[in-house]
């Protein structure tokens, strides 16, 4: 196992300089030609967040309380306008949250997107298994208890749902894959698209972004080369000795953390599915699954994990790509996930990171931002993607933001 090479976030980095402008131009050309589709995996259950309803409906805008879905929709709308081509958006739900997800979009008039450019499909499910006996659990007398088959199920679901056919009909060649929990993700990133589609070390099949790990114990998977092939090693599988190994400059040797942002080639997904034996491996997770007692029919609402769930992970497809590239990104720019009710990766931490990114954008234009003695913005700032998708888009700005203010631009 060796560290995965990556394109550094700063293209002037001396260890691996690269031509950002060239790849941006390539990506922008593809966008003007209508070659990109967006794809969010939103079938997860969001149980850690304790939020009733589809996670994409969660209020994530730090000032407006705008939902995650609204934030992505605005980005896609802004990019479609900018590149003068509709960017179709595919939303993977699960049987558990499909109907309320579609209903949410209808209630919000598709957030201004053309309804024909938004498609929904539900992912597959797997039976949930009794941890103690290995038998399939029952949800009711005549119904097996099931769980969504993991975000890796998306590769099959894209195919069986007809989404891939829709992409072919539209001329879409690349799929921007992101998770529903990260309001800062760049749904449309021309530089990443250019690298994925045209860099010599990419086969245009599956590319990824990486985040330098915060510390050895951070619970994220890391990209690594295994027997010469790029892949992902889950944090639970990475021996502590390797997780804490450092280079001479102090950097963690295996520092390429996974923010779950990928580009997939349409052809790649089609090639995988054209093999009838195609299947990603299953991973096991022990979870609480409500069920009935098969003897008495009584409902069981377990307090402790009683079931084994089987899930597929999308990054297990990485070694199936011929040549796969990774682009470095950073937390403040592109990673503010909402996963937990409090603490790390919560709506509170996401609000803070979003404000930090927005403050940095405003400061580039000379706007004065009030800061705490620790250097954090002492205000809350939200920037709608319809106002700006990058700092260059910002105009008509105030000279300063007041201490304690809540500002939505
Ligand atoms: C995931 C990654 C982790 C990465 C982190 C970054 C895995 C196993 N781990 O962790 O390496 O560092 O994201 O944020 O993926 N989903 C579905 N259907 C499912 C299951 C999940 O659509 O059946 C979607 C969820 O809606 C969510 C995403 O996949 O958008 C992530 O799922 P989750 O199980 O929350 O993964 P994490 O533990 O956050």
């Amino acid at each position: 196992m060796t560290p995965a090479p990556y394109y550094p976030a700063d293209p002037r980095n001396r260890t691996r300089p690269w031509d950002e402008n060239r790849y941006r131009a390539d990506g922008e050309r593809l966008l003007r030609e209508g070659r990109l589709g967006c794809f969010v995996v939103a079938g997860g259950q969001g149980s850690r967040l304790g939020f009733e309803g589809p996670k994409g409906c969660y209020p994530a805008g730090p000032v407006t309380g705008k939902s995650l879905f609204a934030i992505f929709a605005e980005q896609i709308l802004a990019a479609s306008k900018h590149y003068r081509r509709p960017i179709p958006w595919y939303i993977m739900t699960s049987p558990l949250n499909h109907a309320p997800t579609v209903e949410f979009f209808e209630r919000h008039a598709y957030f201004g997107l053309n309804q024909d450019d938004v498609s929904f499909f539900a992912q597959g499910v797997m039976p949930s298994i009794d941890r103690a006996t290995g038998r399939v659990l029952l949800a009711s007398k005549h119904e097996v208890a099931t769980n969504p088959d993991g975000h890796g199920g998306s590769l099959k679901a894209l195919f069986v749902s007809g989404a891939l056919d829709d992409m072919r009909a539209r001329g879409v060649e690349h799929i921007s894959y992101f998770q529903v929990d990260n309001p800062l993700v760049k749904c449309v990133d021309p530089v990443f698209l250019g690298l994925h589609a045209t860099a010599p070390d990419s086969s245009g099949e599956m590319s990824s972004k990486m985040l330098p790990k915060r510390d050895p114990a951070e619970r994220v998977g890391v990209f690594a080369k295994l027997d010469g092939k790029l892949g992902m090693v889950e944090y639970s599988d990475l021996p502590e000795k390797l997780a804490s190994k450092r280079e001479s400059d102090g950097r963690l040797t295996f520092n390429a953390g996974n923010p779950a942002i990928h580009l997939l080639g349409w052809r790649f997904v089609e090639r995988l599915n054209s093999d009838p034996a195609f299947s990603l491996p299953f991973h096991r997770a022990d979870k609480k699954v409500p069920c009935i007692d098969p003897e008495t029919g009584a409902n069981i609402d377990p307090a402790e994990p009683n079931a084994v769930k089987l899930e597929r992970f999308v990054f297990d497809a990485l070694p199936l790509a011929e040549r796969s590239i990774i682009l470095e990104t950073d937390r403040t720019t592109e990673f503010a996930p909402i996963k937990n009710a409090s603490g790390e990766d919560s709506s509170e931490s996401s609000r803070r990171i979003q404000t930090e990114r927005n403050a940095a954008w405003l400061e580039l234009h000379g706007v004065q931002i009030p800061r705490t003695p620790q250097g954090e913005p002492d205000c809350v700032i939200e920037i709608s993607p319809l106002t700006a998708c990058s700092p260059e888009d910002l105009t008509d700005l105030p000279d300063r933001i007041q201490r304690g203010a809540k500002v939505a631009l």
Side-chain angles (χ1 to χ4, degrees):
M1 175 173 155
T2 54
Y6 55 85
Y7 285 87
D10 179 357
R12 290 156 307 184
N13 183 302
R14 266 184 289 150
T15 51
R16 193 177 181 190
W18 54 284
D19 188 348
E20 184 178 11
N21 290 335
R22 183 201 130 180
Y23 291 115
R24 176 177 288 108
D26 285 346
E28 292 192 324
R29 175 180 49 78
L30 290 164
L31 284 161
R32 281 193 300 272
E33 291 172 4
R35 303 292 179 210
L36 186 80
C38 285
F39 178 38
V40 63
V41 287
Q45 286 164 306
S47 33
R48 275 186 285 167
L49 191 56
F51 178 65
E52 286 295 320
K55 204 165 170 183
C57 309
Y58 190 83
V63 177
T64 61
K66 211 177 267 173
S67 65
L68 286 155
F69 281 138
I71 292 172
F72 304 140
E74 290 186 1
Q75 278 198 46
I76 294 168
L77 189 57
S80 301
K81 283 189 180 150
H82 185 82
Y83 296 105
R84 296 166 196 266
R85 283 300 280 251
I87 298 175
W89 186 16
Y90 303 88
I91 297 163
M92 186 177 83
T93 62
S94 76
L96 296 173
N97 67 15
H98 187 84
T101 302
V102 176
E103 196 263 324
F104 189 73
F105 273 74
E106 280 170 358
R107 191 152 25 99
H108 290 91
Y110 288 75
F111 306 101
L113 290 165
N114 185 341
Q115 192 176 331
D116 295 341
D117 296 327
V118 184
S119 342
F120 305 86
F121 58 88
Q123 67 179 110
V125 294
M126 285 297 290
S128 310
I129 297 162
D130 189 326
R131 213 172 150 213
T133 64
R135 292 165 69 188
V136 168
L137 290 168
L138 289 178
S140 63
K141 200 169 170 195
H142 301 292
E143 190 192 358
V144 164
T146 57
N147 58 268
D149 62 354
H151 44 65
S154 64
L155 296 180
K156 197 142 241 164
L158 278 169
F159 179 69
V160 297
S161 66
L164 274 189
D165 287 338
D166 185 74
M167 290 178 194
R168 186 214 312 267
R170 291 169 182 264
V172 167
E173 287 174 359
H174 304 286
I175 307 166
S176 168
Y177 169 106
F178 52 94
Q179 296 191 162
V180 74
D181 56 20
N182 180 11
L184 273 194
V185 67
K186 289 185 199 161
C187 307
V188 178
D189 181 347
V191 177
F192 186 36
L193 176 59
L195 273 169
H196 159 82
T198 68
D201 51 347
S202 168
S203 55
E205 294 180 299
M206 184 164 182
S207 305
S208 316
K209 286 194 180 170
M210 83 81 155
L211 273 181
K213 264 179 77 168
R214 238 185 326 236
D215 55 70
E218 191 185 2
R219 291 155 77 94
V220 292
V222 291
F223 294 97
K225 279 207 155 176
L226 299 149
D227 300 328
K229 276 278 180 193
L230 186 73
M232 171 83 58
V233 182
E234 266 299 274
Y235 58 87
S236 45
D237 295 336
L238 186 66
E240 210 258 294
K241 212 171 130 205
L242 290 183
S244 50
K245 191 169 170 210
R246 291 187 187 270
E247 298 296 284
S248 51
D249 61 4
R251 240 176 345 112
L252 289 172
T253 303
F254 293 98
N255 77 332
N258 171 31
I261 305 169
H262 301 282
L263 276 163
L264 298 163
W266 179 91
R267 255 172 231 295
F268 178 59
V269 185
E270 216 234 7
R271 168 165 78 75
L272 297 180
N273 281 289
S274 61
D275 175 358
F278 165 63
S279 170
L280 294 176
F282 282 113
H283 297 257
R284 158 189 183 142
D286 291 16
K287 294 278 157 90
K288 291 184 273 188
V289 173
C291 56
I292 60 158
D293 182 324
E295 308 300 330
T296 64
N299 289 325
I300 302 175
D301 199 2
E304 295 300 320
N306 61 326
V308 171
K309 289 208 308 193
L310 297 174
E311 293 195 339
R312 294 185 161 107
F313 296 162
V314 75
F315 46 70
D316 283 326
L318 279 170
L320 305 176
E322 229 164 84
R323 295 183 310 282
S324 186
I325 56 119
I326 301 177
L327 172 62
E328 181 184 14
T329 183
D330 79 56
R331 283 167 206 278
T332 323
T333 320
E334 211 176 344
F335 194 59
I338 303 174
K339 295 178 190 285
N340 304 315
S342 58
E344 229 169 66
D345 296 343
S346 63
S347 93
E348 203 273 319
S349 67
S350 176
R351 216 172 288 148
R352 217 168 345 101
I353 301 168
Q354 291 183 63
T355 293
E356 185 59 71
R357 187 206 66 172
N358 296 337
W361 282 13
L362 294 179
E363 279 171 335
L364 285 174
H365 288 269
V367 178
Q368 280 184 31
I369 305 291
R371 289 192 177 265
T372 64
Q374 291 73 35
E376 290 198 357
D378 196 359
C379 53
V380 186
I381 311 169
E382 179 173 340
I383 299 177
S384 159
L386 295 174
T387 305
C389 286
S390 64
E392 299 79 53
D393 298 337
L394 286 167
T395 51
D396 299 329
L397 296 171
D399 295 339
R400 63 179 65 240
I401 303 288
Q402 299 298 331
R403 194 167 289 280
K406 290 189 172 179
V407 180
L409 297 171

